[in-house]
Amino acid sequence: QVQLVESGGGLVQAGGSLRLSCAAAGRTFSSSSAMGWFRQVPGKAREFVGAISRGGTYYADSMKGRFIISRDNAKNTGYLQMNSLKTEDTAVYYCAVRLRGTSYANDYDYWGQGTQVTVSS
């Protein structure tokens, strides 16, 4: 059974940084797969943050220049480095894997359980 386990969430002050990790267990994902990051606040739809695949790295406009996505295929782990955090970045962050390339939609094959990120003013 495939599991994606996020870690690294927590409470941070505005302007600070956090790095989220997403470790995959139960399956080794090929380089053709994409790892995406999404976030969700209560009452709102899940929002695309960014994704990484063999074709490159993609970000939602509001994250460009502040967030950096990377992956270590040898460790089957992905990362979301979040800098210059704002209070509006407060959300539950999810990682996900799509077996066939990148997508900006929620059509990923595997999802993590989510990790809370809270940015205080």
Side-chain angles (χ1 to χ4, degrees):
Q1 186 170 347
V2 176
Q3 275 192 313
L4 300 179
V5 180
E6 297 107 337
S7 61
L11 175 65
V12 64
Q13 285 193 323
S17 298
L18 277 177
R19 189 176 83 152
L20 305 184
S21 299
C22 176
R27 175 172 180 162
T28 299
F29 295 106
S30 71
S31 59
S32 62
S33 65
M35 176 170 283
W37 290 89
F38 293 78
R39 67 186 187 184
Q40 190 170 24
V41 298
K44 292 191 176 181
R46 193 168 293 184
E47 177 187 20
F48 176 79
V49 171
I52 185 168
S53 68
R54 188 164 54 189
T57 312
Y58 310 88
Y59 300 95
D61 287 343
S62 61
M63 287 70 167
K64 287 179 182 176
R66 299 192 300 125
F67 291 8
I68 301 170
I69 293 173
S70 60
R71 70 192 290 181
D72 185 335
N73 290 328
K75 295 183 178 179
N76 225 21
T77 299
Y79 305 96
L80 174 63
Q81 176 69 42
M82 303 185 292
N83 302 317
S84 302
L85 283 162
K86 306 174 182 180
T87 55
E88 52 264 43
D89 293 319
T90 295
V92 177
Y93 283 73
Y94 299 87
C95 67
V97 171
R98 192 172 191 269
L99 297 177
R100 295 181 180 272
T102 305
S103 171
Y104 289 70
N106 289 328
D107 57 347
Y108 280 64
D109 300 290
Y110 302 100
W111 289 85
Q113 82 287 355
T115 185
Q116 177 70 45
V117 171
T118 303
V119 184
S120 64
S121 58

